[in-house]
Amino acid sequence: TNIVLAPVALQPGMGGFLFRPLALAVTFAMFSSFLLSRTFVPMMCAKFLPDEHRHGVRPTAALGSSSHGHGPSAPKTFFGRIHHRIEHFLDNATRTYQHLLALALRHRLAVLSGVFSLFLAALSLIPFIGREFFPQVDAGQITVYLRAPSNMRLDATEKRVAQFEHFIKSVIPAEEMEMIVSELGLDPDWSAAYTANSGQQDTVVRIQLKEERSKSAQEYAADLRRAFAETTHFADLRVSFDTGGLVSNALNNGASSPIDIQVFGGSRRACLELAKQIRNRVATVRGVVDARVLQRLDAPYLFINVNRAKAAELGLSPADVINQAVAAMNSSISINRNFWVDTKTGNQYFVAVQYPEFPSMNINDLLNIEARGTHQGTPIKLSEVASFERRDGAVEISHDSLIPVFNVQMNLEGRDIGHAGAEIKQALKGLKTPPGLHWETKIDETSKQEITKLTKDLHNGQEPPAGMHWERGRDGVVKLVKDAQGDAVISEGIRWQMRGEYERMNESFVNLALGLAGAAVLVYLLQVALFRSWVGPFIIMFTVPLGLIGVLTMLLVTRTTLNVQSQMGFIFLVGIAVNNGVLLVEFANKQRKAGRTVKEAIIAAAGIRFRPILMTFLATFLDLIPMAIGWERGSEANVPLARAVVGGLLTSTCLTFFVVPILYTLLIKEGPEQELDLEAELADSPSPALAVPASPSAAEAPSHCPARI
């Protein structure tokens, strides 16, 4: 088991971050258990178990003798009767199993063909099983990202948020909701790095549900989403719902959406147009909700144009002019932070210059304020050295590795990330181009005079006519560009890629698959060293795919997704399944050394090892049943792991009882293997002088004959 967990603990990426503590905990637990089984358990057995031979007590009847009436009479105590019935049941189960095993050994090829067909059928279930990075957890919290028009003031946003809060209370019953906390706007400080808001038009609404509720957070989010779409009063607002909670946000680097498509490589307007086209296409994919472009270019800005020459004549620098304008509209604290420390209390107080609040201030009022600088004596009006211009600009600018990007984010409802992501890629397949080109583009049949005029207008700072799509190339030449369908502006340098939880899921799946392959190789090599054979460990490793049959079937029947948790459960199952195979093959090898044939040895080993294997199966199976059911809310994270182990144990344990004996009789030969085992036993003799090579006729001697010394 420790070797199986070693690659998992050492794997890079998010998978190692998630499972390294679990792997280390299990490793130390197994190590301490091994020490106790070799020290404490034998001591307790010697102390408390009865010594029947020493005290002259008659040995216990043979297996199954009590069922024929020849064994000891049934105990009279309550627990004794229960123990007697359990023993009677296990005896009957062992005899039934031995009868079925004998029947399977007479039809070995038919049984192996059936098992192989089950394995292929299980593999065919993979396309029907959902895939996601981490299972959805009902954290009892819904985070709503509310976006108003970019030109909305903070007070107007506050009124809309109050209306939205009343809307939430009309959908979620008051007795199932604990509180609503709304975070409006953006503080121009370091705290802006810790909020999703990009301006005074954005709001984060956090809904905390009570522990006792009739619906999960995901179900309430779906109800809110449908009710919001039917409310015409909120037509100017855009919302997205996040129910992942703290764990999901941490695994997704704080992103609020599981799928994030980044557009980069061109001008802002070209990237925005492409991002809008991607948004429109992915919105048609089943299960995709809240599709939106995160960045916007419609924020109203007031640009200050400073007449530098005249300002210099009057002793003003451009910074003096700008600071006067900003202080008039806000406060000097936003451009120059001064604070005073009270020596008595130690409190810090900001010291700033602020004009009286004038909510109805307009540009003319702003131009009439006095501008004064360090090297300027006579105050002048701001209109003499500056002019103001209204223009639209970016609400926020995002970078990824210093590259400006536009993000198309979306949530999922009733759909797993794996299938939805594959369908999204298929929907965006039309945007791809033949090898060697970034985008399939075509230049409109526009006259050179029109292009020349457009270039001249852009050079003079004039905007092109409405509806005209243009893009400036790297060489400065203006091109009118459209895509093959003519519904979006696409530059030849723009690219897009899928990021977010979808990317992390694919990365973690690859790492876990490599970890599983490495674990299988390490387990096989360890068994080769212990068994001194290549065939025996090869038979044992066949128990691994037997567990995959139950894992995939259980995930499909219970509608559980294939995620990192369920994959981790299969990795745990590898160690358990291999242990069962080791018990059978190791004991069969001992029976062969005792002189039995291959078939007799494996039948005897299967009958004797039936109880230990069954005990291991029941102990693990019954222990994981409550976790697999998932009684409590918030336990969804561990449910896939438990269900994978439970399903794999059912098929692995049942099929191991038949597949391993059949393979043992097919791959293990009678004569040569016995001779090699005898020579290996002699080589392990504590006295090298007594280990004499076997005679040439040793192969003809019976396998139970002692070695000649």
Side-chain angles (χ1 to χ4, degrees):
T1 304
N2 294 341
I3 289 182
V4 170
L5 295 176
V8 177
L10 298 177
Q11 70 171 310
M14 186 58 67
F17 173 77
L18 284 174
F19 299 118
R20 189 172 294 113
L22 177 63
L24 293 177
V26 174
T27 299
F28 286 116
M30 293 295 296
F31 181 73
S32 60
S33 176
F34 176 79
L35 291 180
L36 291 175
S37 65
R38 296 300 184 272
T39 56
F40 182 75
V41 173
M43 180 182 65
M44 292 295 101
C45 290
K47 176 67 176 177
F48 295 104
L49 290 182
D51 193 344
E52 298 176 345
H53 298 283
R54 186 178 61 186
H55 295 288
V57 182
R58 187 175 65 178
T60 306
L63 180 64
S65 60
S66 59
S67 62
H68 299 283
H70 302 292
S73 59
K76 298 181 180 180
T77 62
F78 175 74
F79 292 103
R81 289 194 298 269
I82 293 179
H83 176 265
H84 181 74
R85 291 181 180 179
I86 293 176
E87 287 291 327
H88 181 69
F89 170 77
L90 292 177
D91 292 343
N92 293 335
T94 303
R95 283 192 296 271
T96 303
Y97 163 65
Q98 289 177 331
H99 175 72
L100 295 176
L101 178 59
L103 183 64
L105 290 176
R106 289 196 296 268
H107 305 84
R108 294 179 296 183
L109 296 181
V111 174
L112 291 181
S113 299
V115 173
F116 184 70
S117 300
L118 289 177
F119 180 71
L120 294 180
L123 293 181
S124 65
L125 300 178
I126 294 180
F128 304 99
I129 300 176
R131 291 178 291 117
E132 60 185 357
F133 176 51
F134 199 79
Q136 291 187 356
V137 179
D138 182 11
Q141 181 177 344
I142 304 174
T143 303
V144 185
Y145 299 96
L146 184 66
R147 307 181 68 184
S150 301
N151 59 353
M152 186 169 287
R153 294 165 57 97
L154 184 62
D155 52 350
T157 304
E158 183 181 7
K159 294 180 181 179
R160 302 308 305 274
V161 171
Q163 298 171 358
F164 184 74
E165 290 180 351
H166 287 294
F167 162 75
I168 294 174
K169 295 177 181 178
S170 65
V171 176
I172 303 178
E175 60 272 11
E176 297 190 7
M177 183 171 55
E178 189 170 339
M179 67 176 68
I180 301 177
V181 178
S182 299
E183 176 187 341
L184 284 75
L186 183 67
D187 187 12
D189 201 341
W190 286 107
S191 60
Y194 304 99
T195 180
N197 294 339
S198 57
Q200 59 187 10
Q201 71 281 351
D202 291 346
T203 306
V204 178
V205 182
R206 306 184 190 276
I207 307 171
Q208 183 63 48
L209 303 176
K210 290 186 177 180
E211 202 62 38
E212 299 295 333
R213 55 185 182 274
S214 59
K215 296 182 179 180
S216 64
Q218 287 77 13
E219 292 173 338
Y220 272 128
D223 294 342
L224 288 172
R225 186 179 291 113
R226 285 190 290 269
F228 182 86
E230 297 172 356
T231 305
T232 58
H233 180 65
F234 296 137
D236 60 333
L237 302 181
R238 298 293 180 267
V239 295
S240 62
F241 298 86
D242 179 22
T243 58
L246 183 62
V247 175
S248 179
N249 291 338
L251 297 178
N252 203 15
N253 283 342
S256 59
S257 300
I259 299 180
D260 183 2
I261 302 176
Q262 289 186 350
V263 181
F264 57 94
S267 67
R268 291 182 182 176
R269 292 192 178 276
C271 288
L272 179 61
E273 292 296 332
L274 177 59
K276 289 181 179 179
Q277 182 188 4
I278 293 176
R279 177 200 60 191
N280 295 337
R281 292 198 179 191
V282 301
T284 61
V285 176
R286 183 174 62 87
V288 173
V289 292
D290 304 337
R292 63 201 182 277
V293 180
L294 187 62
Q295 292 78 14
R296 290 174 289 180
L297 300 178
D298 57 350
Y301 282 89
L302 189 63
F303 286 83
I304 305 176
N305 300 319
V306 181
N307 190 334
R308 297 174 180 268
K310 189 173 183 179
E313 292 178 0
L314 298 175
L316 292 174
S317 65
D320 293 333
V321 178
I322 295 174
N323 290 344
Q324 291 287 347
V326 174
M329 292 185 293
N330 187 359
S331 171
S332 65
I333 196 173
S334 60
I335 54 179
N336 187 12
R337 293 184 177 274
N338 295 319
F339 59 90
W340 171 75
V341 180
D342 189 350
T343 56
K344 294 183 179 180
T345 62
N347 296 331
Q348 297 180 2
Y349 299 92
F350 285 103
V351 180
V353 176
Q354 183 173 344
Y355 285 75
E357 293 188 5
F358 189 21
S360 60
M361 176 185 289
N362 52 35
I363 293 182
N364 293 328
D365 297 328
L366 185 61
L367 291 174
N368 287 327
I369 67 172
E370 295 181 351
R372 184 185 296 272
T374 305
H375 304 287
Q376 188 261 343
T378 304
I380 61 173
K381 290 185 178 181
L382 194 62
S383 59
E384 298 183 18
V385 292
S387 62
F388 294 89
E389 178 186 1
R390 293 185 181 273
R391 282 190 292 177
D392 291 341
V395 177
E396 62 178 319
I397 301 175
S398 303
H399 292 79
D400 187 359
S401 301
L402 303 181
I403 300 177
V405 297
F406 280 74
N407 301 83
V408 182
Q409 296 182 349
M410 63 211 73
N411 295 329
L412 298 176
E413 180 182 324
R415 194 87 186 275
D416 61 281
I417 297 178
H419 288 96
E423 194 168 336
I424 288 172
K425 281 189 173 182
Q426 186 67 25
L428 301 180
K429 194 174 182 179
L431 297 175
K432 295 185 178 180
T433 61
L437 293 176
H438 295 301
W439 297 101
E440 182 180 357
T441 61
K442 64 178 181 180
I443 301 177
D444 293 343
E445 297 297 333
T446 309
S447 62
K448 294 183 178 180
Q449 292 81 4
E450 185 177 356
I451 294 179
T452 303
K453 182 179 181 301
L454 176 60
T455 305
K456 184 178 179 180
D457 293 342
L458 293 175
H459 180 71
N460 295 331
Q462 300 179 7
E463 292 291 334
M468 177 176 290
H469 302 302
W470 58 276
E471 176 67 25
R472 189 186 302 274
R474 295 183 179 179
D475 54 357
V477 179
V478 175
K479 299 179 181 180
L480 303 181
V481 181
K482 289 185 179 180
D483 70 341
Q485 298 180 359
D487 56 353
V489 181
I490 299 179
S491 172
E492 293 185 0
I494 304 179
R495 300 182 182 90
W496 65 269
Q497 61 179 352
M498 295 186 66
R499 304 294 296 272
E501 190 173 340
Y502 180 80
E503 181 190 31
R504 289 181 171 272
M505 178 191 71
N506 295 330
E507 178 186 353
S508 298
F509 280 12
V510 172
N511 291 334
L512 284 174
L514 294 176
L516 177 61
V521 172
L522 290 177
V523 169
Y524 177 73
L525 294 178
L526 175 66
Q527 293 178 83
V528 168
L530 295 177
F531 282 93
R532 299 180 182 179
S533 172
W534 297 93
V535 181
F538 180 75
I539 297 173
I540 295 173
M541 294 306 297
F542 265 89
T543 60
V544 176
L546 300 180
L548 189 61
I549 300 174
V551 171
L552 297 177
T553 305
M554 178 65 72
L555 295 181
L556 180 67
V557 171
T558 59
R559 296 183 180 180
T560 306
T561 59
L562 182 64
N563 48 58
V564 291
Q565 289 286 73
S566 54
Q567 287 186 346
M568 191 65 185
F570 180 67
I571 292 177
F572 273 113
L573 182 65
V574 171
I576 301 174
V578 167
N579 288 337
N580 295 337
V582 169
L583 289 176
L584 289 175
V585 174
E586 185 267 342
F587 197 82
N589 290 339
K590 289 185 178 180
Q591 294 296 312
R592 289 184 60 213
K593 291 179 182 179
R596 295 191 177 186
T597 62
V598 172
K599 186 175 181 180
E600 293 174 349
I602 193 62
I603 292 178
I608 296 176
R609 293 301 193 188
F610 178 78
R611 283 196 178 192
I613 294 176
L614 185 62
M615 180 181 62
T616 304
F617 162 74
L618 291 176
T620 309
F621 180 82
L622 297 177
D623 184 60
L624 291 176
I625 285 296
M627 185 186 298
I629 296 176
W631 297 104
E632 300 180 355
R633 295 187 183 272
S635 62
E636 295 87 353
N638 298 322
V639 167
L641 187 149
R643 289 178 179 175
V645 176
V646 167
L649 276 176
L650 286 172
T651 57
S652 175
T653 304
C654 295
L655 296 179
T656 297
F657 282 128
F658 299 97
V659 174
V660 171
I662 291 175
L663 292 177
Y664 194 86
T665 57
L666 289 175
L667 300 180
I668 300 296
K669 297 181 180 179
E670 292 286 352
E673 291 292 332
Q674 294 182 4
E675 182 179 0
L676 290 177
D677 291 339
L678 184 59
E679 292 179 358
E681 185 177 358
L682 291 174
D684 291 338
S685 174
S687 177
L690 299 178
V692 181
S695 62
S697 61
E700 302 176 358
S703 58
H704 61 275
C705 293
R708 298 179 182 178
I709 300 177

